[in-house]
Amino acid sequence: MTHVLKIEDLHVSVGDKPILRGVNLTINHGETHALMGPNGSGKSTLGLAIMGHPGYEVTDGSIKLDDQDVLEMEPDERARAGIFMAFQRPVAIPGVKMADFLRHAATNVRRPDRKEGEELIPMREFRKELKDKMQHLRMDVEFARRYVNDGFSGGEMKRAEILQLAMLQPKFAVLDETDSGLDADAVRLASESIADIGHQKMGLLIITHHDKLLEHNPPDFTHVMLGGRIVETGGKELADELHRQGYDRIRKAYPEADARNQEMLAEEAMA
């Protein structure tokens, strides 16, 4: 079955401040989309709105996963339905081992009607799958015994997110600046790992500033966000242009959106 994540005329506010102002985006299963844009343009807001972060209010528009109304779902229901997000700044969960966390999460995604307390994936089956995935991603098996993100370096946190992506195999994944805070070698490794998972098996939205993250995951579509809306869409060549030349052409081509972007940055600085 071909799955579709469709966003139409999406408006999102944080508090009383409008951030997204009519975003339209359709991602088909198996496609890779890059979302780029200057700071403060609303890229992360889009990802968080898709996942249902309570601090981000959808004031208009729709998000549909096939025939399901995503906006009617709680965040955990969205995850069970097959939507995943790798966060720019993952939180630590002291006392919860990666392996235990992944066993519960994978069970819930594969059995979305499961109630808490019901049987999990059999331990032997889970351990084999986890070990295979970690070997494939060139990760030390000791990693699974550590507490989730507790004491992890920036690179380890991002690798943990990629391991979750590998185990959960969602229909659609949003990667929010997985390259943030990483050196070039770590970004290249993250890019290779995402490709190794098999991004063609899901719809992928990569929010990024770094060309290395797209090196092994060339986008089918590149979208440029400015002032809370997508102002331009192209292919891989658009991503290449932005990495080489920056956003000067985009700002000049869309002055109203650029003015709004500057306002949003000023409001963020004052908050």
Side-chain angles (χ1 to χ4, degrees), residues 44-79:
S44 293
T45 294
L46 177 59
L48 292 166
I50 291 171
M51 283 310 304
H53 190 294
Y56 293 74
E57 181 187 3
V58 175
T59 57
D60 202 359
S62 65
I63 304 175
K64 295 287 184 65
L65 172 56
D66 299 331
D67 60 350
Q68 298 174 283
D69 185 349
V70 172
L71 296 180
E72 292 296 318
M73 302 178 184
E74 294 297 323
D76 66 302
E77 293 173 323
R78 301 181 194 203

PDB file of all heavy atoms in Angstrom, residues 44-79:
ATOM      1  N   SER A  44      11.354  23.829  12.275  1.00  0.00           N
ATOM      2  CA  SER A  44      11.133  22.935  13.413  1.00  0.00           C
ATOM      3  C   SER A  44       9.688  22.980  13.884  1.00  0.00           C
ATOM      4  O   SER A  44       9.141  21.971  14.340  1.00  0.00           O
ATOM      5  CB  SER A  44      12.078  23.303  14.576  1.00  0.00           C
ATOM      6  OG  SER A  44      13.425  23.038  14.232  1.00  0.00           O
ATOM      7  N   THR A  45       9.058  24.146  13.761  1.00  0.00           N
ATOM      8  CA  THR A  45       7.647  24.269  14.138  1.00  0.00           C
ATOM      9  C   THR A  45       6.790  23.304  13.329  1.00  0.00           C
ATOM     10  O   THR A  45       5.874  22.673  13.867  1.00  0.00           O
ATOM     11  CB  THR A  45       7.161  25.715  13.928  1.00  0.00           C
ATOM     12  OG1 THR A  45       7.854  26.570  14.840  1.00  0.00           O
ATOM     13  CG2 THR A  45       5.667  25.836  14.157  1.00  0.00           C
ATOM     14  N   LEU A  46       7.097  23.162  12.049  1.00  0.00           N
ATOM     15  CA  LEU A  46       6.338  22.229  11.216  1.00  0.00           C
ATOM     16  C   LEU A  46       6.472  20.807  11.739  1.00  0.00           C
ATOM     17  O   LEU A  46       5.474  20.084  11.877  1.00  0.00           O
ATOM     18  CB  LEU A  46       6.803  22.315   9.765  1.00  0.00           C
ATOM     19  CG  LEU A  46       6.122  21.329   8.799  1.00  0.00           C
ATOM     20  CD1 LEU A  46       4.618  21.540   8.773  1.00  0.00           C
ATOM     21  CD2 LEU A  46       6.710  21.455   7.400  1.00  0.00           C
ATOM     22  N   GLY A  47       7.697  20.389  12.038  1.00  0.00           N
ATOM     23  CA  GLY A  47       7.906  19.047  12.553  1.00  0.00           C
ATOM     24  C   GLY A  47       7.178  18.802  13.857  1.00  0.00           C
ATOM     25  O   GLY A  47       6.525  17.766  14.046  1.00  0.00           O
ATOM     26  N   LEU A  48       7.252  19.762  14.768  1.00  0.00           N
ATOM     27  CA  LEU A  48       6.612  19.610  16.074  1.00  0.00           C
ATOM     28  C   LEU A  48       5.092  19.619  15.961  1.00  0.00           C
ATOM     29  O   LEU A  48       4.397  18.932  16.714  1.00  0.00           O
ATOM     30  CB  LEU A  48       7.098  20.712  17.016  1.00  0.00           C
ATOM     31  CG  LEU A  48       8.583  20.590  17.409  1.00  0.00           C
ATOM     32  CD1 LEU A  48       9.085  21.871  18.045  1.00  0.00           C
ATOM     33  CD2 LEU A  48       8.802  19.407  18.342  1.00  0.00           C
ATOM     34  N   ALA A  49       4.575  20.388  15.011  1.00  0.00           N
ATOM     35  CA  ALA A  49       3.122  20.391  14.782  1.00  0.00           C
ATOM     36  C   ALA A  49       2.662  19.054  14.219  1.00  0.00           C
ATOM     37  O   ALA A  49       1.593  18.549  14.590  1.00  0.00           O
ATOM     38  CB  ALA A  49       2.745  21.522  13.832  1.00  0.00           C
ATOM     39  N   ILE A  50       3.450  18.461  13.340  1.00  0.00           N
ATOM     40  CA  ILE A  50       3.108  17.143  12.798  1.00  0.00           C
ATOM     41  C   ILE A  50       3.023  16.116  13.914  1.00  0.00           C
ATOM     42  O   ILE A  50       2.123  15.267  13.935  1.00  0.00           O
ATOM     43  CB  ILE A  50       4.144  16.717  11.739  1.00  0.00           C
ATOM     44  CG1 ILE A  50       4.032  17.588  10.488  1.00  0.00           C
ATOM     45  CG2 ILE A  50       3.961  15.244  11.358  1.00  0.00           C
ATOM     46  CD1 ILE A  50       5.157  17.377   9.479  1.00  0.00           C
ATOM     47  N   MET A  51       3.933  16.209  14.886  1.00  0.00           N
ATOM     48  CA  MET A  51       3.961  15.226  15.970  1.00  0.00           C
ATOM     49  C   MET A  51       2.987  15.546  17.103  1.00  0.00           C
ATOM     50  O   MET A  51       2.743  14.708  17.958  1.00  0.00           O
ATOM     51  CB  MET A  51       5.372  15.099  16.545  1.00  0.00           C
ATOM     52  CG  MET A  51       6.321  14.294  15.683  1.00  0.00           C
ATOM     53  SD  MET A  51       5.714  12.668  15.140  1.00  0.00           S
ATOM     54  CE  MET A  51       5.311  11.866  16.676  1.00  0.00           C
ATOM     55  N   GLY A  52       2.433  16.762  17.114  1.00  0.00           N
ATOM     56  CA  GLY A  52       1.428  17.083  18.126  1.00  0.00           C
ATOM     57  C   GLY A  52       1.968  17.653  19.414  1.00  0.00           C
ATOM     58  O   GLY A  52       1.389  17.450  20.490  1.00  0.00           O
ATOM     59  N   HIS A  53       3.078  18.386  19.348  1.00  0.00           N
ATOM     60  CA  HIS A  53       3.616  19.035  20.552  1.00  0.00           C
ATOM     61  C   HIS A  53       2.557  19.972  21.127  1.00  0.00           C
ATOM     62  O   HIS A  53       1.989  20.809  20.414  1.00  0.00           O
ATOM     63  CB  HIS A  53       4.875  19.828  20.191  1.00  0.00           C
ATOM     64  CG  HIS A  53       5.630  20.334  21.381  1.00  0.00           C
ATOM     65  ND1 HIS A  53       5.129  21.284  22.241  1.00  0.00           N
ATOM     66  CD2 HIS A  53       6.865  20.005  21.866  1.00  0.00           C
ATOM     67  CE1 HIS A  53       6.008  21.541  23.189  1.00  0.00           C
ATOM     68  NE2 HIS A  53       7.065  20.773  22.987  1.00  0.00           N
ATOM     69  N   PRO A  54       2.264  19.857  22.434  1.00  0.00           N
ATOM     70  CA  PRO A  54       1.160  20.642  23.013  1.00  0.00           C
ATOM     71  C   PRO A  54       1.398  22.144  23.018  1.00  0.00           C
ATOM     72  O   PRO A  54       0.443  22.921  23.158  1.00  0.00           O
ATOM     73  CB  PRO A  54       1.048  20.092  24.441  1.00  0.00           C
ATOM     74  CG  PRO A  54       2.391  19.492  24.731  1.00  0.00           C
ATOM     75  CD  PRO A  54       2.878  18.947  23.421  1.00  0.00           C
ATOM     76  N   GLY A  55       2.648  22.586  22.861  1.00  0.00           N
ATOM     77  CA  GLY A  55       2.926  24.013  22.866  1.00  0.00           C
ATOM     78  C   GLY A  55       2.697  24.683  21.527  1.00  0.00           C
ATOM     79  O   GLY A  55       2.813  25.907  21.413  1.00  0.00           O
ATOM     80  N   TYR A  56       2.328  23.882  20.518  1.00  0.00           N
ATOM     81  CA  TYR A  56       2.152  24.402  19.165  1.00  0.00           C
ATOM     82  C   TYR A  56       0.694  24.205  18.754  1.00  0.00           C
ATOM     83  O   TYR A  56       0.239  23.085  18.561  1.00  0.00           O
ATOM     84  CB  TYR A  56       3.104  23.701  18.193  1.00  0.00           C
ATOM     85  CG  TYR A  56       4.555  24.027  18.477  1.00  0.00           C
ATOM     86  CD1 TYR A  56       5.204  23.463  19.572  1.00  0.00           C
ATOM     87  CD2 TYR A  56       5.258  24.917  17.683  1.00  0.00           C
ATOM     88  CE1 TYR A  56       6.521  23.779  19.867  1.00  0.00           C
ATOM     89  CE2 TYR A  56       6.571  25.240  17.960  1.00  0.00           C
ATOM     90  CZ  TYR A  56       7.204  24.668  19.053  1.00  0.00           C
ATOM     91  OH  TYR A  56       8.507  24.986  19.346  1.00  0.00           O
ATOM     92  N   GLU A  57      -0.028  25.312  18.632  1.00  0.00           N
ATOM     93  CA  GLU A  57      -1.468  25.262  18.360  1.00  0.00           C
ATOM     94  C   GLU A  57      -1.749  25.393  16.866  1.00  0.00           C
ATOM     95  O   GLU A  57      -1.359  26.381  16.235  1.00  0.00           O
ATOM     96  CB  GLU A  57      -2.182  26.390  19.108  1.00  0.00           C
ATOM     97  CG  GLU A  57      -3.696  26.384  18.890  1.00  0.00           C
ATOM     98  CD  GLU A  57      -4.382  27.588  19.499  1.00  0.00           C
ATOM     99  OE1 GLU A  57      -3.693  28.475  20.040  1.00  0.00           O
ATOM    100  OE2 GLU A  57      -5.632  27.648  19.412  1.00  0.00           O
ATOM    101  N   VAL A  58      -2.416  24.395  16.322  1.00  0.00           N
ATOM    102  CA  VAL A  58      -2.852  24.467  14.930  1.00  0.00           C
ATOM    103  C   VAL A  58      -4.140  25.280  14.889  1.00  0.00           C
ATOM    104  O   VAL A  58      -5.156  24.878  15.450  1.00  0.00           O
ATOM    105  CB  VAL A  58      -3.070  23.058  14.343  1.00  0.00           C
ATOM    106  CG1 VAL A  58      -3.654  23.159  12.932  1.00  0.00           C
ATOM    107  CG2 VAL A  58      -1.765  22.275  14.323  1.00  0.00           C
ATOM    108  N   THR A  59      -4.093  26.425  14.243  1.00  0.00           N
ATOM    109  CA  THR A  59      -5.251  27.325  14.201  1.00  0.00           C
ATOM    110  C   THR A  59      -6.058  27.182  12.917  1.00  0.00           C
ATOM    111  O   THR A  59      -7.207  27.642  12.851  1.00  0.00           O
ATOM    112  CB  THR A  59      -4.799  28.785  14.358  1.00  0.00           C
ATOM    113  OG1 THR A  59      -3.840  29.102  13.332  1.00  0.00           O
ATOM    114  CG2 THR A  59      -4.157  29.009  15.726  1.00  0.00           C
ATOM    115  N   ASP A  60      -5.466  26.551  11.903  1.00  0.00           N
ATOM    116  CA  ASP A  60      -6.199  26.328  10.658  1.00  0.00           C
ATOM    117  C   ASP A  60      -5.450  25.289   9.836  1.00  0.00           C
ATOM    118  O   ASP A  60      -4.260  25.046  10.042  1.00  0.00           O
ATOM    119  CB  ASP A  60      -6.325  27.630   9.854  1.00  0.00           C
ATOM    120  CG  ASP A  60      -7.486  27.589   8.859  1.00  0.00           C
ATOM    121  OD1 ASP A  60      -8.172  26.542   8.799  1.00  0.00           O
ATOM    122  OD2 ASP A  60      -7.690  28.593   8.154  1.00  0.00           O
ATOM    123  N   GLY A  61      -6.163  24.670   8.909  1.00  0.00           N
ATOM    124  CA  GLY A  61      -5.544  23.705   8.020  1.00  0.00           C
ATOM    125  C   GLY A  61      -5.688  22.276   8.515  1.00  0.00           C
ATOM    126  O   GLY A  61      -6.384  21.997   9.502  1.00  0.00           O
ATOM    127  N   SER A  62      -5.032  21.349   7.823  1.00  0.00           N
ATOM    128  CA  SER A  62      -5.182  19.931   8.136  1.00  0.00           C
ATOM    129  C   SER A  62      -3.887  19.166   7.918  1.00  0.00           C
ATOM    130  O   SER A  62      -3.023  19.582   7.133  1.00  0.00           O
ATOM    131  CB  SER A  62      -6.292  19.307   7.274  1.00  0.00           C
ATOM    132  OG  SER A  62      -5.925  19.331   5.899  1.00  0.00           O
ATOM    133  N   ILE A  63      -3.771  18.034   8.645  1.00  0.00           N
ATOM    134  CA  ILE A  63      -2.700  17.056   8.429  1.00  0.00           C
ATOM    135  C   ILE A  63      -3.383  15.703   8.340  1.00  0.00           C
ATOM    136  O   ILE A  63      -4.082  15.291   9.274  1.00  0.00           O
ATOM    137  CB  ILE A  63      -1.667  17.052   9.579  1.00  0.00           C
ATOM    138  CG1 ILE A  63      -1.073  18.447   9.795  1.00  0.00           C
ATOM    139  CG2 ILE A  63      -0.543  16.048   9.273  1.00  0.00           C
ATOM    140  CD1 ILE A  63      -0.132  18.532  10.996  1.00  0.00           C
ATOM    141  N   LYS A  64      -3.188  15.014   7.216  1.00  0.00           N
ATOM    142  CA  LYS A  64      -3.826  13.711   7.013  1.00  0.00           C
ATOM    143  C   LYS A  64      -2.760  12.651   6.753  1.00  0.00           C
ATOM    144  O   LYS A  64      -1.826  12.875   5.981  1.00  0.00           O
ATOM    145  CB  LYS A  64      -4.786  13.758   5.824  1.00  0.00           C
ATOM    146  CG  LYS A  64      -5.992  14.680   6.005  1.00  0.00           C
ATOM    147  CD  LYS A  64      -7.000  14.096   6.969  1.00  0.00           C
ATOM    148  CE  LYS A  64      -8.249  14.953   7.097  1.00  0.00           C
ATOM    149  NZ  LYS A  64      -9.019  15.029   5.852  1.00  0.00           N
ATOM    150  N   LEU A  65      -2.899  11.513   7.401  1.00  0.00           N
ATOM    151  CA  LEU A  65      -2.106  10.327   7.101  1.00  0.00           C
ATOM    152  C   LEU A  65      -3.056   9.342   6.444  1.00  0.00           C
ATOM    153  O   LEU A  65      -3.922   8.756   7.109  1.00  0.00           O
ATOM    154  CB  LEU A  65      -1.494   9.738   8.376  1.00  0.00           C
ATOM    155  CG  LEU A  65      -0.781   8.384   8.236  1.00  0.00           C
ATOM    156  CD1 LEU A  65       0.314   8.446   7.182  1.00  0.00           C
ATOM    157  CD2 LEU A  65      -0.223   7.927   9.577  1.00  0.00           C
ATOM    158  N   ASP A  66      -2.936   9.184   5.126  1.00  0.00           N
ATOM    159  CA  ASP A  66      -3.903   8.409   4.351  1.00  0.00           C
ATOM    160  C   ASP A  66      -5.300   8.987   4.620  1.00  0.00           C
ATOM    161  O   ASP A  66      -5.526  10.155   4.368  1.00  0.00           O
ATOM    162  CB  ASP A  66      -3.789   6.920   4.692  1.00  0.00           C
ATOM    163  CG  ASP A  66      -2.397   6.366   4.368  1.00  0.00           C
ATOM    164  OD1 ASP A  66      -1.756   6.891   3.435  1.00  0.00           O
ATOM    165  OD2 ASP A  66      -1.948   5.432   5.053  1.00  0.00           O
ATOM    166  N   ASP A  67      -6.196   8.215   5.197  1.00  0.00           N
ATOM    167  CA  ASP A  67      -7.540   8.730   5.459  1.00  0.00           C
ATOM    168  C   ASP A  67      -7.737   9.110   6.925  1.00  0.00           C
ATOM    169  O   ASP A  67      -8.855   9.375   7.361  1.00  0.00           O
ATOM    170  CB  ASP A  67      -8.594   7.699   5.045  1.00  0.00           C
ATOM    171  CG  ASP A  67      -8.440   6.382   5.798  1.00  0.00           C
ATOM    172  OD1 ASP A  67      -7.419   6.206   6.493  1.00  0.00           O
ATOM    173  OD2 ASP A  67      -9.346   5.527   5.704  1.00  0.00           O
ATOM    174  N   GLN A  68      -6.638   9.172   7.683  1.00  0.00           N
ATOM    175  CA  GLN A  68      -6.729   9.494   9.108  1.00  0.00           C
ATOM    176  C   GLN A  68      -6.460  10.970   9.348  1.00  0.00           C
ATOM    177  O   GLN A  68      -5.528  11.552   8.780  1.00  0.00           O
ATOM    178  CB  GLN A  68      -5.720   8.657   9.914  1.00  0.00           C
ATOM    179  CG  GLN A  68      -5.942   7.150   9.845  1.00  0.00           C
ATOM    180  CD  GLN A  68      -4.831   6.414  10.548  1.00  0.00           C
ATOM    181  OE1 GLN A  68      -3.727   6.260  10.038  1.00  0.00           O
ATOM    182  NE2 GLN A  68      -5.107   5.950  11.763  1.00  0.00           N
ATOM    183  N   ASP A  69      -7.251  11.581  10.236  1.00  0.00           N
ATOM    184  CA  ASP A  69      -7.066  12.971  10.620  1.00  0.00           C
ATOM    185  C   ASP A  69      -6.041  13.020  11.743  1.00  0.00           C
ATOM    186  O   ASP A  69      -6.339  12.706  12.896  1.00  0.00           O
ATOM    187  CB  ASP A  69      -8.405  13.567  11.080  1.00  0.00           C
ATOM    188  CG  ASP A  69      -8.295  15.058  11.372  1.00  0.00           C
ATOM    189  OD1 ASP A  69      -7.168  15.587  11.426  1.00  0.00           O
ATOM    190  OD2 ASP A  69      -9.347  15.694  11.566  1.00  0.00           O
ATOM    191  N   VAL A  70      -4.818  13.396  11.398  1.00  0.00           N
ATOM    192  CA  VAL A  70      -3.724  13.392  12.369  1.00  0.00           C
ATOM    193  C   VAL A  70      -3.997  14.368  13.518  1.00  0.00           C
ATOM    194  O   VAL A  70      -3.642  14.110  14.666  1.00  0.00           O
ATOM    195  CB  VAL A  70      -2.396  13.721  11.668  1.00  0.00           C
ATOM    196  CG1 VAL A  70      -1.266  13.920  12.673  1.00  0.00           C
ATOM    197  CG2 VAL A  70      -2.028  12.611  10.686  1.00  0.00           C
ATOM    198  N   LEU A  71      -4.646  15.480  13.230  1.00  0.00           N
ATOM    199  CA  LEU A  71      -4.878  16.497  14.258  1.00  0.00           C
ATOM    200  C   LEU A  71      -5.833  16.020  15.345  1.00  0.00           C
ATOM    201  O   LEU A  71      -5.891  16.617  16.421  1.00  0.00           O
ATOM    202  CB  LEU A  71      -5.403  17.783  13.615  1.00  0.00           C
ATOM    203  CG  LEU A  71      -4.442  18.476  12.644  1.00  0.00           C
ATOM    204  CD1 LEU A  71      -5.083  19.738  12.079  1.00  0.00           C
ATOM    205  CD2 LEU A  71      -3.116  18.801  13.316  1.00  0.00           C
ATOM    206  N   GLU A  72      -6.572  14.948  15.074  1.00  0.00           N
ATOM    207  CA  GLU A  72      -7.461  14.385  16.092  1.00  0.00           C
ATOM    208  C   GLU A  72      -6.735  13.399  16.999  1.00  0.00           C
ATOM    209  O   GLU A  72      -7.317  12.892  17.956  1.00  0.00           O
ATOM    210  CB  GLU A  72      -8.650  13.683  15.422  1.00  0.00           C
ATOM    211  CG  GLU A  72      -9.608  14.630  14.716  1.00  0.00           C
ATOM    212  CD  GLU A  72     -10.278  15.586  15.693  1.00  0.00           C
ATOM    213  OE1 GLU A  72     -10.678  15.134  16.790  1.00  0.00           O
ATOM    214  OE2 GLU A  72     -10.399  16.785  15.366  1.00  0.00           O
ATOM    215  N   MET A  73      -5.467  13.111  16.713  1.00  0.00           N
ATOM    216  CA  MET A  73      -4.703  12.108  17.469  1.00  0.00           C
ATOM    217  C   MET A  73      -3.814  12.759  18.522  1.00  0.00           C
ATOM    218  O   MET A  73      -3.277  13.852  18.315  1.00  0.00           O
ATOM    219  CB  MET A  73      -3.802  11.297  16.530  1.00  0.00           C
ATOM    220  CG  MET A  73      -4.499  10.561  15.422  1.00  0.00           C
ATOM    221  SD  MET A  73      -3.239   9.718  14.388  1.00  0.00           S
ATOM    222  CE  MET A  73      -4.279   9.033  13.103  1.00  0.00           C
ATOM    223  N   GLU A  74      -3.634  12.051  19.642  1.00  0.00           N
ATOM    224  CA  GLU A  74      -2.632  12.427  20.625  1.00  0.00           C
ATOM    225  C   GLU A  74      -1.249  12.064  20.062  1.00  0.00           C
ATOM    226  O   GLU A  74      -1.138  11.244  19.138  1.00  0.00           O
ATOM    227  CB  GLU A  74      -2.874  11.693  21.941  1.00  0.00           C
ATOM    228  CG  GLU A  74      -4.170  12.087  22.643  1.00  0.00           C
ATOM    229  CD  GLU A  74      -4.190  13.553  23.055  1.00  0.00           C
ATOM    230  OE1 GLU A  74      -3.115  14.071  23.458  1.00  0.00           O
ATOM    231  OE2 GLU A  74      -5.258  14.179  22.962  1.00  0.00           O
ATOM    232  N   PRO A  75      -0.165  12.653  20.611  1.00  0.00           N
ATOM    233  CA  PRO A  75       1.168  12.340  20.084  1.00  0.00           C
ATOM    234  C   PRO A  75       1.498  10.852  20.065  1.00  0.00           C
ATOM    235  O   PRO A  75       2.087  10.361  19.094  1.00  0.00           O
ATOM    236  CB  PRO A  75       2.105  13.109  21.030  1.00  0.00           C
ATOM    237  CG  PRO A  75       1.282  14.284  21.463  1.00  0.00           C
ATOM    238  CD  PRO A  75      -0.117  13.751  21.593  1.00  0.00           C
ATOM    239  N   ASP A  76       1.109  10.111  21.107  1.00  0.00           N
ATOM    240  CA  ASP A  76       1.415   8.677  21.121  1.00  0.00           C
ATOM    241  C   ASP A  76       0.623   7.936  20.050  1.00  0.00           C
ATOM    242  O   ASP A  76       1.110   6.963  19.457  1.00  0.00           O
ATOM    243  CB  ASP A  76       1.145   8.068  22.501  1.00  0.00           C
ATOM    244  CG  ASP A  76      -0.330   8.088  22.872  1.00  0.00           C
ATOM    245  OD1 ASP A  76      -0.930   9.180  22.894  1.00  0.00           O
ATOM    246  OD2 ASP A  76      -0.891   7.001  23.140  1.00  0.00           O
ATOM    247  N   GLU A  77      -0.587   8.408  19.748  1.00  0.00           N
ATOM    248  CA  GLU A  77      -1.387   7.792  18.691  1.00  0.00           C
ATOM    249  C   GLU A  77      -0.763   8.060  17.325  1.00  0.00           C
ATOM    250  O   GLU A  77      -0.807   7.203  16.427  1.00  0.00           O
ATOM    251  CB  GLU A  77      -2.818   8.324  18.742  1.00  0.00           C
ATOM    252  CG  GLU A  77      -3.581   7.911  19.986  1.00  0.00           C
ATOM    253  CD  GLU A  77      -4.934   8.583  20.101  1.00  0.00           C
ATOM    254  OE1 GLU A  77      -5.054   9.776  19.719  1.00  0.00           O
ATOM    255  OE2 GLU A  77      -5.880   7.918  20.565  1.00  0.00           O
ATOM    256  N   ARG A  78      -0.172   9.217  17.152  1.00  0.00           N
ATOM    257  CA  ARG A  78       0.501   9.532  15.893  1.00  0.00           C
ATOM    258  C   ARG A  78       1.711   8.603  15.699  1.00  0.00           C
ATOM    259  O   ARG A  78       1.951   8.120  14.589  1.00  0.00           O
ATOM    260  CB  ARG A  78       0.934  11.004  15.876  1.00  0.00           C
ATOM    261  CG  ARG A  78      -0.232  11.965  16.034  1.00  0.00           C
ATOM    262  CD  ARG A  78       0.193  13.428  15.991  1.00  0.00           C
ATOM    263  NE  ARG A  78      -0.891  14.282  16.464  1.00  0.00           N
ATOM    264  CZ  ARG A  78      -1.054  15.565  16.172  1.00  0.00           C
ATOM    265  NH1 ARG A  78      -0.186  16.167  15.376  1.00  0.00           N
ATOM    266  NH2 ARG A  78      -2.069  16.256  16.659  1.00  0.00           N
ATOM    267  N   ALA A  79       2.438   8.374  16.793  1.00  0.00           N
ATOM    268  CA  ALA A  79       3.587   7.465  16.714  1.00  0.00           C
ATOM    269  C   ALA A  79       3.139   6.046  16.375  1.00  0.00           C
ATOM    270  O   ALA A  79       3.734   5.374  15.532  1.00  0.00           O
ATOM    271  CB  ALA A  79       4.358   7.487  18.030  1.00  0.00           C
TER     272      ALA A  79
END
